[in-house]
Amino acid sequence: MGSSKLHQNDANCVWVDGPIIVGAGPSGLATSACLTQQGVPSLILEKSDCLASLWQLRTYDRLKLHLPKQFCELPLLGFPHNFPKYPNKHQFISYLESYAGHFSIQPRFNQAVQSADYDHILGFWRVKTQDSEYISRWLITATGENAEPVIPDIPGINKFNGSVVHTSSYKSGSEFKNQRVLVIGCGNSGMEVSLDLCRYNAIPHMAVRNTVHVLPREMFGFSTFGIAMALIKWFPLWLVDKFLLLVANFILGNTDQVGLRRPKTGPIELKNVTGKTPVLDVGALSQIKSGEIKVMGGVKEITGHGAKFMDGQEKEIDSIILATGYKSNVPTWLKGCDFFNKDGMPKTPFPNGWKAEKGLYTVGFTRRGLLGTASDAVKIARDIARQWRPNDSCSNSHVILLKET
């Protein structure tokens, strides 16, 4: 969308009338749709061959949205009415594909951005992929917080004789039937993978190094997240956290007794400050209480056939699953920009981290899920629309000049 292609000296150079958006996940799609509504064309560059590659290629089969669908809608087009309260992975992907179709969004697939630099002399962004250079006044980073798997450096892991996979490659517990599986990490992915393994008669051992907040997914028939969002409008954050923990302890019991120590900071405050999401329990806790999921301490060392733990225990293990999360990849391709920190996150905190300088924007880096994405997308589209002049598009001579410099 919004691009015209020129060739010079056997090199592809593409001037994009509107913004270049890097990433065709929910963040990129939402921003493109909001721009379309404002009458601004855009071009999405996507390194894979499909929309929402994280959801399509790197999620497990049983995944469902952790929050009710009304908190996961993208701007301007909601979920179909017949979708359940918590849509599954395939329903969410179909929603995103319908969303792209509705707004005539056509990303350029198989375009892996290798570098993006701001040309200070000409005042344009130059975005290079493996076979083209794209040029625009605006650049929107929509690769998000979950672009690359985090692979921790665990002593001895290279000596392990069994399989080691990250949750990005995990599909189903059927591949681990009757195995003793070490799951490293106790966030939502670690908990849900452990639960899935139980369904296939595997024996999950979940390594828990840090403290973690576990909350029921629902309280009194309502979404815990929905209750928190409603209360936060009327009461101070510390009081809402206190209420959530009081009810969580009533419904789930004291999680410290099963090896899941709670942080001293409340769940919402912790999420706001560090981005660490509380675990919304969908059944793993009852399996922990019954002993089907074994809670272990932090891993000290991996051996050829097992693991040694910080508390001195040692277990024989058949396979290891790394539920160690994801990270931003912005530092690997965005050059000469100090708007992002070394972890690839905007230095300016939410709600003001969506806009940098020189036509650079970010979407999907709020640590507030799809609600944060929707908020960013609307703001970015409005801001660019105020600057947009259709007759401002670059002439051919400008593009040739760029290729000659």
Side-chain angles (χ1 to χ4, degrees):
M1 295 174 67
S3 65
S4 55
K5 200 167 193 180
L6 292 162
H7 299 267
Q8 194 213 351
N9 297 336
D10 298 322
N12 289 344
C13 182
V14 183
W15 168 258
V16 182
D17 286 342
I20 296 168
I21 301 171
V22 182
S27 297
L29 297 178
T31 309
S32 181
C34 289
L35 286 163
T36 297
Q37 189 207 29
Q38 297 280 354
V40 180
S42 62
L43 177 69
I44 299 180
L45 302 178
E46 168 56 46
K47 68 178 179 180
S48 72
D49 61 358
C50 63
L51 298 173
S53 60
L54 175 66
W55 283 86
Q56 299 221 47
L57 307 177
R58 295 191 289 176
T59 49
Y60 40 95
D61 294 342
R62 300 187 72 100
L63 179 65
K64 290 185 177 182
L65 294 180
H66 294 124
L67 306 180
K69 60 185 179 182
Q70 66 266 31
F71 297 113
C72 301
E73 291 178 340
L74 300 186
L76 309 174
L77 185 68
F79 283 97
H81 293 300
N82 62 337
F83 272 30
K85 186 175 184 180
Y86 298 96
N88 64 33
K89 161 186 172 174
H90 303 291
Q91 289 167 326
F92 187 62
I93 291 167
S94 77
Y95 165 65
L96 294 178
E97 288 175 339
S98 299
Y99 189 90
H102 181 83
F103 293 103
S104 303
I105 300 169
Q106 297 175 318
R108 287 204 178 182
F109 294 114
N110 301 306
Q111 290 293 293
V113 172
Q114 296 170 345
S115 68
D117 298 87
Y118 185 73
D119 189 318
H120 291 270
I121 297 171
L122 296 167
F124 298 133
W125 284 94
R126 306 169 69 136
V127 180
K128 293 178 183 174
T129 66
Q130 72 278 12
D131 55 23
S132 298
E133 182 174 23
Y134 299 86
I135 301 158
S136 173
R137 284 175 55 193
W138 303 279
L139 174 65
I140 301 170
T141 61
T143 46
E145 306 156 8
N146 302 315
E148 304 289 343
V150 172
I151 309 295
D153 185 17
I154 301 168
I157 199 160
N158 293 330
K159 302 176 193 168
F160 185 64
N161 295 321
S163 68
V164 180
V165 298
H166 189 271
T167 46
S168 58
S169 302
Y170 176 93
K171 294 300 174 188
S172 160
S174 60
E175 304 160 45
F176 301 90
K177 277 183 180 174
N178 304 315
Q179 290 188 27
R180 296 161 297 187
V181 183
L182 176 62
V183 179
I184 299 178
C186 63
N188 280 301
S189 294
M191 289 279 198
E192 289 185 26
V193 164
S194 296
L195 180 61
D196 192 47
L197 289 166
C198 288
R199 295 182 173 122
Y200 291 91
N201 294 320
I203 306 165
H205 294 68
M206 189 170 63
V208 180
R209 185 181 62 177
N210 298 317
T211 55
V212 59
H213 276 303
V214 182
L215 303 175
R217 186 168 69 170
E218 298 199 337
M219 295 177 171
F220 317 118
F222 297 97
S223 147
T224 298
F225 182 80
I227 291 173
M229 290 301 97
L231 291 176
I232 210 83
K233 293 175 183 176
W234 301 99
F235 300 102
L237 189 147
W238 66 267
L239 190 59
V240 177
D241 269 343
K242 214 172 184 70
F243 170 78
L244 293 177
L245 291 176
L246 195 69
V247 178
N249 286 335
F250 174 74
I251 295 173
L252 302 176
N254 184 356
T255 59
D256 288 39
Q257 293 176 353
V258 292
L260 302 173
R261 295 174 296 112
R262 288 197 184 278
K264 290 185 170 62
T265 309
I268 300 176
E269 185 183 352
L270 192 69
K271 171 73 173 164
N272 288 350
V273 173
T274 69
K276 190 175 180 183
T277 306
V279 171
L280 296 173
D281 181 53
V282 292
L285 200 59
S286 65
Q287 299 286 18
I288 290 171
K289 289 176 180 175
S290 68
E292 297 295 314
I293 298 173
K294 321 285 184 191
V295 174
M296 312 298 296
V299 175
K300 183 180 180 182
E301 181 189 355
I302 301 295
T303 63
H305 298 280
K308 294 178 181 177
F309 298 88
M310 294 296 188
D311 59 5
Q313 287 194 72
E314 191 167 349
K315 294 282 183 182
E316 287 195 358
I317 297 295
D318 300 307
S319 295
I320 296 173
I321 297 172
L322 302 173
T324 45
Y326 294 85
K327 62 183 178 181
S328 163
N329 68 3
V330 171
T332 65
W333 56 268
L334 184 61
K335 309 300 179 186
C337 173
D338 64 356
F339 184 73
F340 289 84
N341 62 25
K342 62 180 174 51
D343 298 320
M345 298 294 288
K347 292 177 183 176
T348 308
F350 180 85
N352 301 312
W354 57 276
K355 183 178 181 180
E357 295 177 332
K358 304 180 180 72
L360 177 65
Y361 297 85
T362 78
V363 57
F365 295 86
T366 62
R367 300 193 191 276
R368 281 162 176 76
L370 292 164
L371 272 180
T373 287
S375 168
D376 281 351
V378 170
K379 290 175 184 173
I380 290 168
R382 285 176 182 162
D383 197 66
I384 292 176
R386 281 194 287 268
Q387 308 164 48
W388 172 248
R389 291 172 185 70
N391 297 327
D392 258 4
S393 57
C394 187
S395 70
N396 292 5
S397 59
H398 284 150
V399 176
I400 292 169
L401 177 62
L402 284 167
K403 295 306 290 184
E404 289 172 348
T405 56

